[in-house]
Amino acid sequence: MPQFTEEQQALREVAREVARERIEPMARKLDERVVDPEELVALYRELGWMSLTVPEEYGGAGAGTTEWCIVAEEVAAVSMSAAHLLGHNGMNTMVALLGTDEQKARFFPRLDESFACFMASEPEAGSDVSSVRTVAVREGDEYVLDGRKQWVGHGGHAEIYTVVAKVDEGSGKQAIGLFFVDGRESPGMRAEREEDLMGLNGVSVAEVAVDGVRIPVTNRLGGRNGTQEFIAFMNAARPTSAAQAVGMANAAMEYAVRYTHERHQFGQPVYRFQAVSHMLAQMATDIEAARELTYAAAAEIDRGGPRGGELVSMAKAFATDMAMRVTTDAVQCLGASGYSREHPLERMMRDAKIGQIYEGTNQIQRETIAKLLSRRLVG
């Protein structure tokens, strides 16, 4: 297990208790879209989790990536959809990393009031952020944003948007820019279609039209190197995908262990069959390895270490691939019962798949690891 501080361990215990007592009873209803996510958002605000990564001087907890991962892991153990709502902290992290003092003073209070979403992917742009077609054209003291975004988590009910767009920097040169859009002040964001997904059903994932949205020039985050700033933000946020995978996989493994002790076949608990017990032993081993790697990556980001990007990509790819294997094998341990909605494992298996795809596909993560490895060892 990672070596947490007393404060981090206390946060872990609170998160585990809240997850099991208040979130787990609504997990299935979230998957069936019976529960309004706003109920969870209200709970998270009450607990201070929606402002977890906001600096203390702006009213937040001043927590880092490690603390965000701790909460994400415990919540994902009962519901990936519920854990995904904590992604609001990504917008807090972006403002904390890239915002000026003036922007922080303006944006943090709005983020505390309303739910936010991040808009990068497009119909023709996924892992390659440089190919986005949404544009930000400067007109005097404003930028005008036009385009279309896809796979926007919470895009159907967010009021705050952070948008990745191309900017004409003059002389025909375009660059990536990051923009903060307050829907209350800048109309033109329109959710046009909600995706019907195989998993993560408690999350509204929408296609959003960006139609002539006018924002002040002062709402551009960061400087002129938007691509590098985007990478820095993703490095700070991506470990939570690994933490979610660890939490869900661990819950699936524990459920399968208990079930195979209770279920008897051929006169003995199913767990006593070596094929089953060894499968579960491998699950437990892989989960521990993923957990250690995840928190090593989070700690490297928190201290600004030189291997942050490399470890983050390793953790994300390893943990989410592991979660897909573990949830699939956990279903197998239950036999036909694992395929039934009576048990939570089929939901976990469906939810696990998205981890290998979003926040940068695992194929892209391995490409990143290879480049950073070459740079570190060869130069």
Side-chain angles (χ1 to χ4, degrees):
M1 289 289 292
Q3 296 299 306
F4 295 131
T5 65
E6 289 185 11
E7 291 80 6
Q8 289 169 341
Q9 186 59 39
L11 176 63
R12 185 180 185 86
E13 290 170 3
V14 169
R16 181 170 298 177
E17 180 181 353
V18 170
R20 292 179 177 178
E21 294 185 3
R22 302 187 65 176
I23 301 174
E24 187 169 17
M26 64 176 77
R28 182 169 176 174
K29 291 181 178 179
L30 266 173
D31 185 57
E32 296 170 348
R33 301 189 177 185
V34 175
V35 172
D36 186 344
E38 287 298 328
E39 292 184 35
L40 277 175
V41 172
L43 171 61
Y44 293 168
R45 290 197 193 284
E46 175 188 329
L47 294 164
W49 291 354
M50 296 298 278
S51 56
L52 195 65
T53 58
V54 173
E56 291 181 1
E57 58 266 37
Y58 295 98
T65 297
T66 298
E67 288 78 13
W68 185 10
C69 284
I70 287 170
V71 177
E73 179 187 347
E74 295 300 331
V75 175
V78 300
S79 169
M80 270 288 283
S81 291
H84 201 272
L85 287 167
L86 293 166
H88 178 89
N89 277 291
M91 308 311 105
N92 294 330
T93 299
M94 181 182 288
V95 172
L97 281 174
L98 305 177
T100 64
D101 290 342
E102 184 275 334
Q103 287 175 327
K104 292 173 184 177
R106 275 196 298 129
F107 296 162
F108 281 136
R110 281 296 289 131
L111 285 166
D112 189 52
E113 296 170 356
S114 301
F115 199 77
C117 67
F118 179 58
M119 306 209 307
S121 295
E122 299 181 2
E124 302 297 328
S127 297
D128 180 14
V129 70
S130 65
S131 65
V132 298
R133 296 182 180 179
T134 297
V135 295
V137 178
R138 183 161 180 173
E139 294 185 1
D141 292 333
E142 293 182 320
Y143 281 109
V144 181
L145 275 62
D146 282 286
R148 181 173 294 272
K149 293 295 183 180
Q150 197 173 29
W151 310 115
V152 181
H154 315 293
H157 62 263
E159 294 180 339
I160 303 292
Y161 311 83
T162 49
V163 183
V164 179
K166 281 278 181 68
V167 189
D168 187 345
E169 300 287 21
S171 303
K173 184 178 180 181
Q174 287 190 321
I176 293 296
L178 304 173
F179 300 89
F180 185 97
V181 179
D182 185 340
R184 185 178 62 182
E185 300 173 353
S186 301
M189 293 291 191
R190 188 173 65 257
E192 293 193 333
R193 182 173 67 90
E194 188 163 328
E195 301 288 347
D196 187 11
L197 305 177
M198 68 179 283
L200 208 67
N201 288 326
V203 178
S204 166
V205 178
E207 187 169 320
V208 179
V210 184
D211 188 10
V213 177
R214 291 182 173 271
I215 61 171
V217 169
T218 52
N219 278 28
R220 181 175 179 178
L221 289 160
R224 297 297 180 184
N225 198 338
T227 301
Q228 290 303 313
E229 290 159 351
F230 173 80
I231 291 171
F233 157 66
M234 291 303 297
N235 284 342
R238 193 173 278 138
T240 58
S241 295
Q244 290 170 0
V246 169
M248 179 172 54
N250 192 69
M253 180 270 294
E254 290 184 352
Y255 194 96
V257 167
R258 294 188 183 98
Y259 182 92
T260 55
H261 273 81
E262 295 169 0
R263 170 80 166 163
H264 285 67
Q265 289 288 285
F266 302 100
Q268 65 178 354
V270 172
Y271 187 84
R272 289 190 182 175
F273 292 99
Q274 188 179 79
V276 174
S277 62
H278 283 198
M279 188 186 299
L280 289 160
Q282 189 62 54
M283 290 185 207
T285 302
D286 291 347
I287 290 165
E288 280 306 317
R291 181 180 285 117
E292 292 289 341
L293 183 54
T294 296
Y295 286 101
E300 185 77 353
I301 291 296
D302 285 339
R303 62 174 167 259
R307 294 189 63 200
E310 187 179 354
L311 290 175
V312 164
S313 288
M314 288 177 176
K316 194 273 181 182
F318 184 82
T320 56
D321 281 349
M322 174 277 299
M324 192 72 249
R325 289 194 307 273
V326 166
T327 54
T328 301
D329 286 348
V331 168
Q332 190 72 22
C333 285
L334 270 65
S337 294
Y339 205 63
S340 168
R341 288 181 183 270
E342 178 185 353
H343 301 277
L345 296 182
E346 61 83 27
R347 167 171 52 85
M348 293 177 178
M349 181 179 168
R350 287 186 286 107
D351 286 348
K353 185 59 193 176
I354 191 60
Q356 297 176 299
I357 300 171
Y358 71 2
E359 303 264 352
T361 67
N362 287 357
Q363 288 72 28
I364 287 294
Q365 300 311 312
R366 290 182 175 87
E367 184 72 13
T368 298
I369 294 164
K371 288 179 180 178
L372 294 175
L373 182 65
S374 175
R375 186 182 305 167
R376 178 165 61 84
L377 298 180
V378 181

